[in-house]
Amino acid sequence: MFNRSLLSLIMFLLLGCIAAQTSSKPWTEDQLQDPEALANILRSRASKQPLIFNIGPMEDIKGATNIGPTKDKNNLAKLKQALSAVPKDKTVIIYCGCCPFRVCPNIRPAFALLKEMKFTRPKLLNLEHNLKTNWIDLGFPMQ
């Protein structure tokens, strides 16, 4: 009986840790990039374009560099390499778009890397649901 109770407690704690890890957000609300605002920037061809990285398995929006899913450590290293020569005050926008933020396995490691590398203007494209719903269906620019 004691062993079952202990095992149940351990399982409960492990599940709680996993849930907390999945739901935690390393970004703040002001670090979310509005999709329409970014689409307007991309359409304007302004001289100061942000750097955009696709850190998931989805299609590339206009101007994005495809890194691949950053849940894979090799792709996370690829992102780190791509960012290594970028000035720390450059606006860097990442996106995945495979699924809602709360369950996306790619955005948290990539955003944490931006913070770890001391970027002062990191942004996460606010694709609350997915790339299709929050970008493609709205007619925003794709590559």
Side-chain angles (χ1 to χ4, degrees):
M1 185 85 144
F2 175 75
N3 288 338
R4 271 194 179 160
S5 297
L6 183 58
L7 182 60
S8 294
L9 177 62
I10 291 170
M11 291 302 292
F12 177 77
L13 292 173
L14 284 174
L15 289 174
C17 288
I18 290 168
Q21 216 175 21
T22 304
S23 65
S24 67
K25 296 188 271 185
W27 59 87
T28 61
E29 291 300 312
D30 66 323
Q31 291 172 320
L32 292 174
Q33 173 66 53
D34 177 68
E36 185 173 7
L38 179 58
N40 289 337
I41 291 168
L42 296 175
R43 288 179 182 137
S44 76
R45 302 180 196 265
S47 61
K48 285 192 139 191
Q49 294 283 324
L51 281 180
I52 305 168
F53 292 96
N54 177 354
I55 49 97
M58 302 305 290
E59 301 144 283
D60 294 330
I61 65 172
K62 184 178 179 181
T65 299
N66 190 306
I67 296 295
T70 53
K71 67 180 179 180
D72 178 322
K73 292 190 185 301
N74 291 330
N75 290 334
L76 194 60
K78 185 177 167 184
L79 177 61
K80 187 173 187 174
Q81 177 62 36
L83 292 168
S84 64
V86 175
K88 302 300 183 202
D89 62 345
K90 177 79 175 168
T91 299
V92 176
I93 301 172
I94 60 169
Y95 76 94
C96 177
C98 70
C99 55
F101 286 167
R102 71 182 179 281
V103 293
C104 181
N106 299 305
I107 57 177
R108 284 167 183 77
F111 203 87
L113 177 65
L114 289 172
K115 289 172 60 176
E116 174 187 310
M117 293 181 74
K118 310 272 190 247
F119 279 89
T120 59
R121 299 175 67 193
K123 297 279 186 178
L124 171 61
L125 186 57
N126 193 5
L127 302 174
E128 187 176 345
H129 299 288
N130 57 51
L131 183 67
K132 182 176 179 341
T133 301
N134 300 113
W135 189 271
I136 296 171
D137 287 354
L138 298 172
F140 295 155
M142 298 293 291
Q143 290 211 32

